[in-house]
Amino acid sequence: MDTSDYENYLSQNDSVINTQKRDGSWPDLNYLSEVGNDANYHLHLIRIRAMIFFQKNRAAGGKTENRQTTRKIQNAINYWLEVTPYSSDRYLQYTVIPDLLYEIALAGKDVITPESIESLLEVIPQMGYPIHIMERFPKLSHQIYQAIISGNHDQLLEVKKDLSDLCRFRYPEGIQPDFSFQAEGPSMHMGSYGIEYLEKISWFIFLFKDTSLRFEDEEISFLLDFILEGHQWMIFGQVYDPRARAHLVSNSSYNVQPLIRALNYLKDAGFWNEELRLLELKLKQQTGPLTGTVQGNRVFWRSDFLVHRRENYYAALKFISSRTNSAGAIDGMGLKNYYLYDGSLLVMKYGNEYEGLYPVWNWRKIPGVTCEISNSDPPLSEPKRTLLEFSGAVSDGQYGLAAMSYHRDSVFANKSWFFFNDAIVCMGNELQMNLYGFFSTTIEQNRLQGKVFYGYRNRIFELPAGQQYLPAVEWIKHNQTVYQFLQPGAVQVYTGPAEGSWNSLNDLEENNEVEDNVFSLWINHEKNEDSTYQYLIMPFVEDDALNYYRSNNYTIIQNDKKIQAVSHNEDQMLQAVFYAPGFIEWDRGKEIYVDSPCLLILRLYDGYLWVSAADPLQQQSKISIEINMKFLDDDQIKWNADKGTSTIELAFPQGLYSGSSVIKNYSFLRGWE
């Protein structure tokens, strides 16, 4: 709020001054509640700040002091110092309230007594500081306020040194080498703590821009990479991927304004380019189909997250491993998040497919997830490590795949996802459950938009509302997205209203009922059935394109406990998951053997074989790939004339880069393609 706005704020809210009680409190504020929407006592400090700027604005305009307002300011400060409310909301307790106290102390030097300023500064350290990386910022902010108030330049230099320490890759918490952001242990928090980090560090850049404390060029470059190689990939229009928000997916008022403010700070500091301008433009786009600012495929191997972007759609997969935390509740938020990271695949074209739908979601039917069927909510649990060792993803920058050998509670499955230009192929096998009951794989659960159609034996039918059991179906179409089934089997569909409340997800939210219409599609499995599934999702399909996709483009080569593989015939591409050393045949007699578990993409393009590989175990140092093709001279390829095969050896990245993709290309002799 600009200083000139404070007078308007007070004039439009007479109750701020007129309803203040004699002891300095306000009757509409709850000073005793520690959590929930009732805990609104930070507004007490906001009102003090508003009255201070009201007085300062009067003085700047040549008006005399309003003594009644000054007296009420002092009474309000005295009351706060006497009561000192506590909040279990860490953001309020460690960031919002201390910042407000410092702003009051800094701005009120000519309005309130020196003794009050000293008392306010003494209260702040008593509030304590929590333990993870993001909560270093409140302490640094407070030290800056202290240094400015006291004129201590040496203290400012120390703060700048600490800020520079945050402008680098950090382990275990902070910005990771893949430009994801982790906090609360090895958990991805790009849209929660990560976006808060970005806003705060950008504010410091703006604050120090014309001083001896200004940030170095490499620090600025690092921050811009964090925006463009990290944040930008996880945002579609004005929507931040819900998995990137972690516990804040349960916050009804969540938005991308902190990122917009960060961009404004950087712009005002003179650090601006065309990519940032386009990102800002997309963040402010209000309606209509969205197009991405970036296109391609990117794996955030440190956080088990894959993003696949095309001009007309966004798709992203969040999976888990023994190296990252599962989803869970934090500070009373994300109460149903238990399965949110367990292979969840979300696809967006307009940005409204899931946004605001979370209160009415069935959190046991998260798209992409295989879990036990139950009428109860998912277990309430904090984020924690799982036992999944085989879990990872590979990308060549345009295409990608991910896989995990899944085991959670009583459910087991080998699951994989293959990302192409116009479709995502999804496979599962070895699906088992070691308890009595049923489990399911959810294909989609998003906002119902328009009619739903399905196809069977070259006929098209409109799906009636409600829950439907379809014993045989070839494809289902909803909102220009087609879900095509590549093997016979039954599916379940629900279209219609659903109810819930934000409070069921977040203790801090109001317990108001929310209603929306949902489209939900899933496959049921029976205990110990050892079943499989294979389907593809085509995010954007015209009505006349179904037969083309169904008949020509994709071939499932294998889907069993050893290998899951699919080829794209037109693009001459193979994507394969090897759960163990194995052999596969691809495209006109090409035979491929790998000597260790891996994720592999092979593509023939313009006279080259492009090879992309990753280690899903993050334990191996290299891999050998044997293929019956002959290549031009290359020191990295061994030709065996007797067998008619070439052996390609690739070294897997190590250390903090373990699990990332290695990409090579080799020129082959004509006639061997």
Side-chain angles (χ1 to χ4, degrees):
M1 193 182 293
D2 187 84
T3 56
S4 62
D5 293 331
Y6 282 97
E7 187 165 358
N8 292 332
Y9 172 81
L10 292 175
S11 64
Q12 294 169 11
N13 296 273
D14 291 336
S15 62
V16 171
I17 293 177
N18 296 335
T19 66
Q20 188 191 58
K21 298 164 67 175
R22 287 189 177 184
D23 62 1
S25 66
W26 278 274
D28 61 321
L29 302 185
N30 188 337
Y31 297 90
L32 299 179
S33 177
E34 295 183 6
V35 297
N37 291 301
D38 290 337
N40 58 359
Y41 44 77
H42 63 288
L43 297 177
H44 183 101
L45 298 178
I46 291 175
R47 292 171 181 180
I48 294 174
R49 184 180 63 179
M51 290 190 290
I52 288 174
F53 277 101
F54 170 74
Q55 292 290 66
K56 294 172 73 71
N57 201 40
R58 285 179 62 88
K63 298 180 181 179
T64 59
E65 175 188 4
N66 185 316
R67 293 185 179 181
Q68 181 190 20
T69 302
T70 300
R71 184 175 65 254
K72 288 181 177 289
I73 292 171
Q74 192 63 57
N75 289 343
I77 290 174
N78 292 341
Y79 183 82
W80 183 272
L81 292 172
E82 179 183 348
V83 177
T84 314
Y86 172 81
S87 174
S88 60
D89 182 331
R90 296 192 303 179
Y91 182 66
L92 276 179
Q93 179 71 11
Y94 302 123
T95 301
V96 174
I97 292 174
D99 281 355
L100 285 168
L101 290 172
Y102 272 117
E103 289 179 24
I104 289 169
L106 185 61
K109 288 193 293 185
D110 300 326
V111 179
I112 58 181
T113 66
E115 292 79 15
S116 294
I117 292 176
E118 184 177 347
S119 296
L120 289 172
L121 296 178
E122 289 175 353
V123 164
I124 296 169
Q126 299 172 15
M127 302 181 72
Y129 299 102
I131 56 174
H132 70 67
I133 181 173
M134 264 316 300
E135 288 143 349
R136 287 179 63 180
F137 280 103
K139 190 171 184 177
L140 293 174
S141 298
H142 305 161
Q143 289 172 346
I144 286 177
Y145 281 121
Q146 286 177 328
I148 293 174
I149 291 170
S150 63
N152 189 335
H153 185 71
D154 290 340
Q155 187 176 4
L156 283 174
L157 291 175
E158 286 299 314
V159 172
K160 175 55 176 62
K161 182 179 178 181
D162 287 342
L163 288 170
S164 294
D165 182 57
L166 293 173
C167 293
R168 62 178 178 85
F169 295 132
R170 297 186 58 83
Y171 177 83
E173 295 189 339
I175 301 176
Q176 302 298 302
D178 58 6
F179 288 106
S180 64
F181 191 96
Q182 293 186 356
E184 303 277 5
S187 297
M188 186 173 72
H189 280 273
M190 285 291 283
S192 50
Y193 298 124
I195 201 170
E196 184 185 347
Y197 161 92
L198 186 59
E199 180 184 7
K200 289 185 177 298
I201 205 77
S202 300
W203 179 78
F204 285 120
I205 289 173
F206 170 73
L207 182 68
F208 295 150
K209 64 173 181 174
D210 294 323
T211 73
S212 59
L213 303 174
R214 64 185 176 273
F215 283 68
E216 301 294 334
D217 289 345
E218 58 267 26
E219 295 169 346
I220 300 295
S221 178
F222 178 83
L223 183 68
L224 297 186
D225 284 343
F226 180 49
I227 296 172
L228 298 173
E229 304 301 324
H231 283 277
Q232 178 177 222
W233 279 83
M234 301 186 193
I235 297 170
F236 192 59
Q238 293 182 310
V239 176
Y240 221 113
D241 190 291
R243 284 77 53 86
R245 306 177 206 173
H247 57 298
L248 294 187
V249 70
S250 63
N251 187 335
S252 64
S253 60
Y254 184 92
N255 57 58
V256 294
Q257 287 305 310
L259 179 55
I260 293 175
R261 288 194 292 270
L263 293 175
N264 287 336
Y265 288 139
L266 293 172
K267 183 192 299 184
D268 292 342
F271 301 107
W272 201 241
N273 59 36
E274 181 64 11
E275 286 182 281
L276 294 177
R277 187 191 71 81
L278 290 174
L279 174 58
E280 181 187 44
L281 186 66
K282 295 298 179 184
L283 289 172
K284 295 179 178 179
Q285 181 178 342
Q286 296 293 329
T287 59
L290 298 172
T291 56
T293 52
V294 290
Q295 296 181 39
N297 184 283
R298 180 179 288 269
V299 171
F300 296 89
W301 69 90
R302 294 286 300 166
S303 295
D304 292 338
F305 193 59
L306 181 151
V307 179
H308 188 68
R309 304 183 66 127
R310 291 300 185 259
E311 183 179 7
N312 55 5
Y313 74 90
Y314 168 100
L317 175 76
K318 181 69 180 78
F319 50 101
I320 52 176
S321 70
S322 59
R323 302 171 294 274
T324 57
N325 282 342
S326 62
I330 299 175
D331 296 339
M333 294 177 279
L335 300 177
K336 297 182 182 180
N337 278 15
Y338 187 79
Y339 294 114
L340 184 59
Y341 296 171
D342 291 26
S344 59
L345 173 64
L346 303 186
V347 180
M348 293 185 283
K349 301 188 297 292
Y350 297 90
N352 64 349
E353 285 83 355
Y354 309 98
E355 200 64 11
L357 199 65
Y358 310 116
V360 308
W361 243 14
N362 182 337
W363 285 77
R364 287 183 179 271
K365 285 188 167 51
I366 297 174
V369 171
T370 300
C371 70
E372 180 185 0
I373 296 174
S374 172
N375 291 326
S376 63
D377 289 334
L380 179 61
S381 173
E382 295 181 351
K384 60 184 179 182
R385 300 285 185 97
T386 64
L387 300 177
L388 278 65
E389 291 192 355
F390 190 104
S391 182
V394 62
S395 173
D396 65 3
Q398 289 299 316
Y399 308 94
L401 75 90
M404 63 178 178
S405 185
Y406 182 72
H407 173 205
R408 193 89 187 274
D409 301 329
S410 61
V411 173
F412 300 79
N414 289 334
K415 296 172 66 70
S416 58
W417 301 262
F418 306 85
F419 295 82
F420 297 93
N421 273 326
D422 47 22
I424 305 156
V425 178
C426 308
M427 291 191 211
N429 64 59
E430 296 285 295
L431 281 86
Q432 299 181 38
M433 181 176 171
N434 61 11
L435 295 176
Y436 177 78
F438 296 88
F439 61 113
S440 66
T441 297
T442 300
I443 299 171
E444 185 60 274
Q445 185 184 192
N446 60 16
R447 180 170 279 109
L448 180 63
Q449 303 189 69
K451 297 179 179 180
V452 179
F453 299 91
Y454 69 96
Y456 179 62
R457 291 184 176 177
N458 296 318
R459 297 181 63 189
I460 298 176
F461 305 88
E462 182 178 340
L463 189 75
Q467 184 162 332
Q468 308 294 329
Y469 171 76
L470 301 178
V473 63
E474 295 173 357
W475 54 263
I476 291 177
K477 185 176 182 182
H478 168 242
N479 194 27
Q480 294 184 299
T481 297
V482 169
Y483 309 89
Q484 181 183 331
F485 302 95
L486 304 178
Q487 68 181 36
V491 300
Q492 302 267 356
V493 190
Y494 174 77
T495 59
E499 296 180 346
S501 73
W502 285 103
N503 180 256
S504 69
L505 310 178
N506 184 339
D507 286 339
L508 305 178
E509 292 281 349
E510 297 281 355
N511 192 21
N512 296 329
E513 200 71 21
V514 176
E515 183 173 328
D516 213 321
N517 292 310
V518 300
F519 164 75
S520 186
L521 172 63
W522 69 96
I523 303 170
N524 283 345
H525 314 292
E526 295 185 18
K527 174 191 174 184
N528 294 329
E529 188 182 50
D530 194 17
S531 59
T532 66
Y533 65 77
Q534 47 198 46
Y535 61 88
L536 62 83
I537 301 174
M538 293 171 278
F540 202 91
V541 175
E542 300 296 336
D543 289 339
D544 59 355
L546 286 174
N547 289 331
Y548 169 73
Y549 285 113
R550 184 166 56 248
S551 60
N552 292 327
N553 274 351
Y554 301 96
T555 300
I556 303 297
I557 297 177
Q558 199 164 329
N559 180 20
D560 57 38
K561 64 181 180 180
K562 293 182 178 180
I563 296 173
Q564 292 175 308
V566 59
S567 67
H568 190 287
N569 305 321
E570 184 177 302
D571 287 342
Q572 292 188 284
M573 184 191 317
L574 169 73
Q575 296 192 19
V577 179
F578 290 87
Y579 291 95
F583 166 87
I584 196 171
E585 187 172 329
W586 164 55
D587 189 41
R588 290 175 289 180
K590 292 185 182 65
E591 298 175 347
I592 300 153
Y593 173 79
V594 299
D595 70 345
S596 57
C598 70
L599 308 176
L600 185 66
I601 300 176
L602 300 179
R603 188 185 183 201
L604 297 172
Y605 180 72
D606 197 26
Y608 288 88
L609 174 68
W610 290 82
V611 180
S612 304
D615 173 19
L617 299 171
Q618 297 194 15
Q619 298 171 359
Q620 304 172 112
S621 60
K622 64 179 181 178
I623 184 175
S624 291
I625 305 168
E626 187 176 294
I627 183 170
N628 59 342
M629 294 178 66
K630 189 170 185 180
F631 298 87
L632 298 177
D633 290 340
D634 194 305
D635 294 338
Q636 301 177 54
I637 297 179
K638 299 176 182 178
W639 169 249
N640 187 320
D642 293 336
K643 296 173 63 177
T645 61
S646 297
T647 300
I648 300 170
E649 291 193 353
L650 299 175
F652 285 130
Q654 301 296 304
L656 295 179
Y657 292 84
S658 182
S660 62
S661 302
V662 56
I663 305 171
K664 299 286 185 179
N665 65 78
Y666 307 95
S667 179
F668 56 81
L669 290 175
R670 293 297 179 184
W672 289 81
E673 65 271 32

